[in-house]
Amino acid sequence: MKLDLLKPQWLDIVFEGRNKLYGAYQLRKENPKTTVKALAIGAVIFAFLVSIPMLAKLIPDSADEDTTLDKKIVTVKLPPKKEVPPPNLPPPPPPPPKIDQVKFVKPIVAKAEEVVEEPPKIKEIVDKKVGDKDIKGDPDAELTVEPVGTGPKQVVEEDNTLYNMAGIEVKPEFPGGIDKFLKFVGNNYRAPEEEGLKGRVIVSFVVEKDGSLTDIKVLRDIGFGTGAEAIRVLKKSPKWQPAEQNGRKVRCSYQLPIMIQSAN
């Protein structure tokens, strides 16, 4: 029998009766494939090394690009630089007045040798304006007159002080007087139906500048909802005539006693 070493049949003969799961059998069986892969990889690497000089010629020279770029920069014309005036320049001098202005020198008491500048004489300031320096007037200048102002406005601070009935100039008053107010309370107050109920309920409130009643409080009551009923009645009250102090309307506190007595 003729044996071809290039075919894998000889491996079966060599490893006949032996353990083929051993690593040597697998290595010899895969040896042709490994050899082919190695030849292919080597060929690729060799071809790349041989083509390096040709690839280098294809890369553009950076010196040529720099030369072209320099030529383009040289041919660009920049616009003329605008002159920016320096900041914080002093304002222009005011136009000359219509008449001459003479500098006023404040007179002081000093020795003759210490006088630096003499004040102007009376005849020098006739028909002239007095100022802090000498200015030559322009008789042809346009005469301007500043508009007349209204002057500073007087700011009146609002008086929110709470006054009481003692010492107030004009006391707050219900429309029609105190009798009308007592009648209003008597007609609207609903006393609780409790036998033998008798006593006095005292309430306080503030008469505002517009005559409305605010801050209604019960200072004393006799129970059975008498204080809450007094508050309800006062909230229905029409506006009062507000108190006045120094000719201005002010806030003023007021106290009202209400006598309660059941019908029985």
Side-chain angles (χ1 to χ4, degrees), residues 213-245:
L213 305 186
T214 61
D215 198 20
I216 303 173
K217 296 179 180 178
V218 178
L219 303 181
R220 176 183 176 185
D221 66 359
I222 56 177
F224 302 99
T226 53
E229 178 63 14
I231 294 176
R232 185 192 68 82
V233 173
L234 291 177
K235 286 183 177 181
K236 294 176 59 177
S237 171
K239 288 189 176 182
W240 289 40
Q241 183 66 31
E244 292 186 10
Q245 186 77 5

Side-chain angles (χ1 to χ4, degrees), residues 3-11 28-29 31-32:
L3 183 62
D4 190 357
L5 296 178
L6 299 177
K7 294 182 179 181
Q9 287 81 359
W10 65 275
L11 289 175
R28 286 176 173 79
K29 185 177 181 180
N31 184 49

Side-chain angles (χ1 to χ4, degrees), residues 191-203:
E193 298 179 357
E194 293 291 336
E195 184 177 356
L197 182 63
K198 184 178 180 181
R200 184 171 61 172
V201 177
I202 302 177
V203 293

